[in-house]
């Protein structure tokens, strides 16, 4: 791939701490700033979590996806938690992502870029700085990187030591994922490994069974001709991502590397800017414009055409391929009103972008019992509309961004087993947003295939 003009991206007025001159939204207030400084120094001396060549590989794969040659699947928890950094949770999450990607690979007939929302997804934006319960007000929970979820003053106080723990947990997760992937972790053609019992409950049972059978046959066919186990994936076939929210943490892991120009955020392959921190004059955009990682930008209904064009010009002045992924998250009811005008706005820039749909964050609602949930039919509807709108506007939907877990939780309603509001009480584990469970995630992958095939016919 052609290297972009270096001077364009090596802005002279940028440094890894230049964001500190701008207003930073969604940052924690630490009671002891010198303790924070000390911790950041330690963090800056620790080894990074990923390498620049992995990041460059991902950038070139995203550039491919921008040309319509790959599909991007990004998924994982809304927020990882320190206590869930366990063998079982990591394995199950990897398994569902792997299986979804296989469904997509087979169904869309193109390679899939797999990006986990893991190994660092520990910081959360909040709508309010404080949370009040029974007349008691405490700082909001901002993710395990910052404070604890328990509603006590001690737990809610931001603690810098958590930054080191977050880095260590990310490294443990990364290490285990790399080892699993390296070791050929999954025997993908074993029926007991693929749990497809839900398929019979789907109104599309027959179609899905056929798809599942086709995948099984393809896996066996590939193994026969390559004499290799398809489970043996290449080492960096999984990339990591998180919302780069806590800018002190990100800065400590932003480094220069020998024989590469520019700066890399080496805490993750693919950082993204959340919807609440995309202010053009804000600290997050300032930080992002100087790093060479490919990056996601979350785009909600409030995004204007001018704002988006300005973001693209600021973050990708050299029009580098593979650098920008636009993640729209409008909600099933609003996508039709907002996506077409934004596709139009991007067309007038010279920057290549990859459009992907996050059908989760615009579809969150609260049940009568006060439980946060998402309805599968709304998630499905936003995704399907996204395919249609892009096709109609001469654009292409190149991926999906999902909150999911490999566990059997009941956090989103609907899906093949038609979970109800009553079911939510049974296995609701998320401390933040509701996630698709294993079955719902796999079902959604099949629905993506079904939709794409329908568009092509
Ligand atoms: C998220 O991805 O968990 C999130 C908070 O998203 P958004 O910034 O789009 O609201
Ligand atoms: Co979320």
């Amino acid at each position: 791939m052609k290297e972009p003009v270096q001077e364009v991206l090596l802005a002279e007025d940028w440094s890894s701490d230049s964001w500190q001159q701008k207003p930073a939204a969604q940052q924690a207030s630490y009671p002891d700033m010198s303790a924070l400084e000390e911790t950041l120094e330690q963090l800056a001396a620790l080894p990074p979590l990923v390498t620049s060549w992995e990041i460059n590989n991902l950038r070139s794969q995203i550039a491919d996806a921008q040309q319509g040659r790959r599909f991007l699947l990004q998924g994982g928890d809304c927020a990882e938690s320190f206590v869930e950094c366990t063998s079982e949770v990591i394995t199950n999450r990897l398994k569902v992502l792997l299986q979804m990607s296989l469904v997509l690979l087979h169904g869309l007939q193109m390679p899939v870029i797999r990006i986990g929302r893991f190994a660092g997804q520990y910081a959360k934006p909040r709508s309010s700085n404080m949370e009040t319960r029974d007349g008691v007000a405490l700082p909001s929970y901002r993710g395990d990187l910052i404070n604890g979820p328990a509603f006590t003053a001690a737990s809610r106080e931001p603690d810098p030591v958590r930054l080191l723990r977050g880095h260590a947990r990310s490294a443990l997760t990364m290490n285990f994922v790399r080892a699993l992937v390296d070791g050929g972790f999954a025997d993908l053609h074993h029926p007991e490994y693929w749990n497809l019992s839900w398929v019979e409950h789907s109104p599309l049972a027959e179609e899905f069974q056929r798809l599942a059978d086709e995948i099984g046959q393809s896996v066996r066919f590939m193994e026969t001709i390559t004499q290799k186990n398809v489970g043996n994936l290449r080492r960096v076939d999984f990339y990591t991502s998180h919302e780069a929210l806590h800018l002190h943490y990100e800065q400590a892991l932003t480094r220069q590397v020998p024989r590469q120009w520019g700066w890399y955020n080496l805490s993750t392959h693919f950082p993204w800017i959340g919807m609440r921190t995309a202010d053009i004059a804000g600290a997050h955009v300032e930080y992002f414009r100087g790093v060479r990682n490919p990056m996601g930008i979350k785009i909600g209904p409030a995004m204007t055409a001018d704002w988006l064009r300005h973001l693209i010009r600021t973050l990708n002045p050299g029009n580098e391929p593979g650098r920008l992924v636009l993640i729209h998250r409008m909600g099933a009811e609003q996508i039709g009103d907002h996506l077409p005008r934004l596709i139009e706005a991007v067309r007038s820039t010279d920057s290549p972008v990859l459009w992907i749909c996050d059908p989760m964050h615009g579809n969150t609602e609260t049940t009568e019992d006060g439980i946060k949930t998402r309805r599968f039919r709304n998630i499905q509807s936003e995704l399907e509309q996204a395919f249609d709108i892009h096709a109609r506007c001469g654009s292409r939907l190149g991926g999906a961004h999902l909150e999911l877990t490999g566990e059997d939780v009941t956090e989103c309603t609907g899906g093949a087993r038609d979970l109800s509001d009553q079911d939510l009480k049974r296995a609701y584990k998320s401390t933040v947003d509701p996630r698709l469970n294993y079955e719902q995630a796999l079902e959604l992958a099949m629905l993506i295939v079904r939709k794409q095939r329908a568009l092509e016919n």
Side-chain angles (χ1 to χ4, degrees):
M1 187 198 307
K2 216 170 111 239
E3 281 281 288
V5 184
Q6 299 187 9
E7 308 83 79
V8 180
L9 284 180
L10 271 180
E12 275 172 18
D13 55 347
W14 185 91
S15 58
S16 61
D17 65 355
S18 57
W19 63 268
Q20 296 188 22
Q21 307 307 315
K22 311 261 178 178
Q26 297 285 344
Q27 303 302 291
S29 311
Y30 286 91
D32 178 353
M33 285 309 277
S34 64
L36 174 67
E37 290 300 330
E38 222 168 273
T39 311
L40 291 171
E41 257 173 54
Q42 291 177 40
L43 200 55
L46 288 171
L49 299 169
V50 302
T51 65
S52 60
W53 54 88
E54 290 168 350
I55 292 172
N56 291 344
N57 274 343
L58 175 60
R59 185 168 354 86
S60 92
Q61 291 188 8
I62 292 175
D64 255 11
Q66 290 173 339
Q67 302 277 332
R69 293 195 294 264
R70 286 176 193 264
F71 192 83
L72 191 155
L73 171 66
Q74 184 178 16
D77 287 317
C78 179
E80 290 175 278
S81 75
F82 290 173
V83 291
E84 288 214 333
C85 181
T86 64
S87 165
E88 200 186 353
V89 168
I90 296 170
T91 312
N92 285 339
R93 189 171 48 211
L94 208 60
K95 168 178 145 178
V96 69
L97 283 169
L98 194 60
Q99 292 185 353
M100 288 174 82
S101 72
L102 221 76
V103 169
L104 295 168
L105 171 80
H106 170 83
L108 306 178
Q109 295 285 299
M110 66 170 71
V112 174
I113 307 171
R114 305 171 180 92
I115 304 183
R117 280 177 66 118
F118 58 53
Q121 176 52 17
Y122 286 121
K124 296 308 297 173
R126 302 315 306 232
S127 47
S128 166
N129 283 334
M130 302 298 283
E131 180 183 344
T132 305
R133 286 190 204 174
D134 302 325
V136 180
L138 290 175
S140 294
Y141 170 58
R142 291 188 171 275
D144 280 4
L145 195 63
I146 291 111
N147 56 4
F151 194 73
T152 64
S155 148
R156 290 294 172 90
E157 183 164 289
D159 179 357
V161 170
R162 286 178 168 272
L163 299 172
L164 294 170
R165 266 193 227 135
H167 174 268
R169 292 286 201 287
S170 301
L172 290 171
T173 304
M174 194 79 234
N175 179 58
F176 191 43
V177 166
R178 288 187 197 280
L180 285 171
V181 172
D182 244 9
F185 132 83
D187 199 356
L188 292 165
H189 52 282
H190 268 276
E192 68 274 18
Y193 180 77
W194 280 83
N195 183 351
L196 290 170
S197 51
W198 58 273
V199 166
E200 66 190 75
H201 300 280
S202 164
L204 302 168
E206 236 172 82
E207 193 176 336
F208 284 173
Q209 192 56 56
R210 235 185 355 259
L211 188 60
D213 292 345
E214 277 173 30
I215 294 167
Q217 281 164 16
S218 305
V219 168
R220 282 189 292 279
F221 177 70
M222 264 152 35
E223 285 174 347
T224 310
I225 55 171
T226 61
Q227 297 287 302
K228 280 194 194 122
N229 187 323
V230 175
N232 284 332
L233 300 168
R234 275 186 312 120
R235 188 185 173 86
V236 288
D237 221 354
F238 270 94
Y239 295 100
T240 63
S241 69
H242 65 250
E243 178 173 351
L245 187 68
H246 191 300
L247 290 174
H248 281 295
Y249 178 84
E250 306 299 333
Q251 181 191 327
L253 287 151
T254 300
R255 317 265 172 92
Q256 285 186 295
V257 294
R259 291 176 293 284
Q260 300 273 10
W261 63 271
W263 292 76
Y264 286 82
N265 181 333
L266 297 180
S267 74
T268 188
H269 301 111
F270 182 66
W272 78 83
I273 307 182
M275 189 186 70
R276 293 160 193 79
T277 47
D279 183 357
I280 202 83
H284 290 81
V285 171
E286 171 60 20
Y287 167 77
F288 269 84
R289 84 185 167 94
V291 297
R292 291 210 61 205
N293 303 57
M295 57 191 69
I297 309 172
K298 288 288 202 93
I299 295 178
M303 178 62 66
T304 65
D306 277 351
W307 180 6
L308 184 54
R309 277 194 292 259
H310 202 151
L311 278 171
I312 291 173
R313 269 200 307 276
T314 307
L315 294 169
N316 195 19
N319 296 329
E320 184 182 17
R323 183 166 166 83
L324 293 188
V325 177
L326 304 183
I327 310 169
H328 50 76
R329 31 88 79 228
M330 302 292 175
E333 284 194 0
Q334 298 208 55
I335 185 169
D337 292 339
H338 297 286
L339 186 55
R341 64 181 177 81
L342 295 172
I343 293 174
E344 207 42 55
V346 171
R347 212 189 303 283
S348 63
T349 70
D350 287 324
S351 172
V353 302
L354 179 69
W355 287 103
I356 73 172
C357 175
D358 164 359
M360 313 299 294
H361 287 89
N363 292 311
T364 315
E365 53 188 283
T366 308
T367 65
E368 280 175 4
D369 298 333
I371 303 174
K372 227 178 171 189
T373 191
R374 290 162 174 155
R375 317 232 171 250
F376 190 88
R377 62 166 184 275
N378 292 337
I379 295 170
Q380 177 185 350
S381 161
E382 180 165 359
L383 251 179
E384 292 184 345
Q385 290 182 67
F387 274 103
D388 286 333
I389 294 168
H390 278 285
R392 210 167 54 236
C393 298
S395 170
R396 170 180 173 263
L397 185 69
H401 176 118
L402 305 168
E403 286 186 343
L404 53 83
T405 169
E407 311 297 299
D408 182 22
V409 299
T410 55
E411 297 173 6
C412 294
T413 59
R417 286 194 204 268
D418 201 16
L419 297 183
S420 68
D421 284 7
Q422 292 315 309
D423 289 315
L424 296 178
K425 298 192 182 103
R426 187 152 48 81
Y428 196 105
K429 293 194 192 153
S430 176
T431 51
V432 272
D433 290 341
R435 303 159 295 177
L436 297 168
N437 62 24
Y438 171 80
E439 296 184 344
Q440 291 168 327
L442 222 49
E443 182 175 5
L444 204 63
M446 293 197 182
L447 286 165
I448 290 175
V449 168
R450 184 172 195 265
K451 181 70 194 170
Q452 177 67 36
R453 286 183 174 179
L455 267 183
E456 284 163 10
N457 290 322

